[in-house]
Amino acid sequence: MAAYDKADLERRMAGAVESLKHDLTGLRTGRASTTLLDPVTVEVYGSHMPITQVATVSAPEPRLLSVQVWDKSNVGPVDKAIRSAGLGLNPIVDGQTLRLPIPDLTEERRKELAKLANQYAEKARIAARNVRRDGMDSLKTDEKKGVFGEDERKRHETDVQKLTDATIADIDAAAAAKEKEILGK
């Protein structure tokens, strides 16, 4: 049985790109995005729950988030959770609805967010390179086991390298787009 599995390598590299894209959606860019509140957990009914399990989050305007709390008794805990999440948001309570105006980003904060986006991208690049290394190792193992010869191993190594290059190009493109969005250029 061959250890080299091209489909598995493709799946793992695509996973690195998807993970990066998910991380980048959580970065605040001055525009309202419902994913902004994904990391917020609310302490209700004696346990911590994601905000999406106690309220409906929507973005009715480009610079406003609306959080419709389902149970009136949870309005206070939701308000407290959003304020203490470190997102720089100050909810305005209006009955069972919390309105969250998205403040403008300062230039300093924009630069911090751009740096963070680049850190996320570097983590994704490292993940892609680790997948490449695993693929190359399994190719060498397969060659030693006699699964295929040197020529075929080299051909597969070229495929793995092309896949890695394409994945890193996707990562760079996603990071550049997010940086452009953050810096407003």
Side-chain angles (χ1 to χ4, degrees), residues 13-184:
M13 286 202 187
V17 175
E18 284 310 306
S19 177
L20 170 69
K21 288 180 178 174
H22 182 266
D23 288 347
L24 291 178
T25 58
L27 289 181
R28 188 159 68 93
T29 58
R31 284 206 305 267
S33 167
T34 55
T35 57
L36 187 59
L37 296 179
D38 282 355
V40 178
T41 56
V42 184
E43 193 173 344
V44 288
Y45 312 122
S47 65
H48 290 276
M49 303 172 102
I51 197 165
T52 53
Q53 290 184 6
V54 294
T56 304
V57 180
S58 61
E61 296 173 27
R63 302 192 55 76
L64 180 75
L65 282 177
S66 174
V67 179
Q68 180 71 43
V69 183
W70 301 326
D71 184 346
K72 203 172 204 161
S73 65
N74 292 338
V75 172
V78 169
D79 179 39
K80 182 181 170 196
I82 293 170
R83 288 180 191 277
S84 63
L87 297 170
L89 300 174
N90 292 311
I92 301 163
V93 181
D94 182 14
Q96 279 182 242
T97 304
L98 284 83
R99 290 194 315 269
L100 297 124
I102 308 293
D104 278 330
L105 293 173
T106 63
E107 190 60 34
E108 187 179 317
R109 182 73 180 131
R110 286 179 193 273
K111 286 179 182 164
E112 282 174 25
L113 288 172
K115 262 188 201 168
L116 194 56
N118 285 324
Q119 287 172 2
Y120 288 160
E122 188 52 34
K123 272 194 338 200
R125 284 186 207 100
I126 289 169
R129 288 187 203 114
N130 286 341
V131 173
R132 175 187 171 275
R133 185 197 60 228
D134 292 348
M136 295 297 193
D137 289 350
S138 63
L139 285 170
K140 287 176 183 144
T141 304
D142 284 352
E143 184 188 8
K144 282 181 188 150
K145 287 181 185 171
V147 176
F148 44 69
E150 184 182 351
D151 291 347
E152 198 170 342
R153 178 192 51 114
K154 286 184 178 177
R155 193 167 47 252
H156 286 309
E157 282 181 351
T158 304
D159 292 344
V160 171
Q161 187 58 50
K162 284 179 184 170
L163 177 62
T164 305
D165 293 344
T167 302
I168 288 182
D170 289 348
I171 290 168
D172 291 345
K178 190 66 176 187
E179 189 172 345
K180 185 178 177 186
E181 184 184 335
I182 290 168
L183 298 174

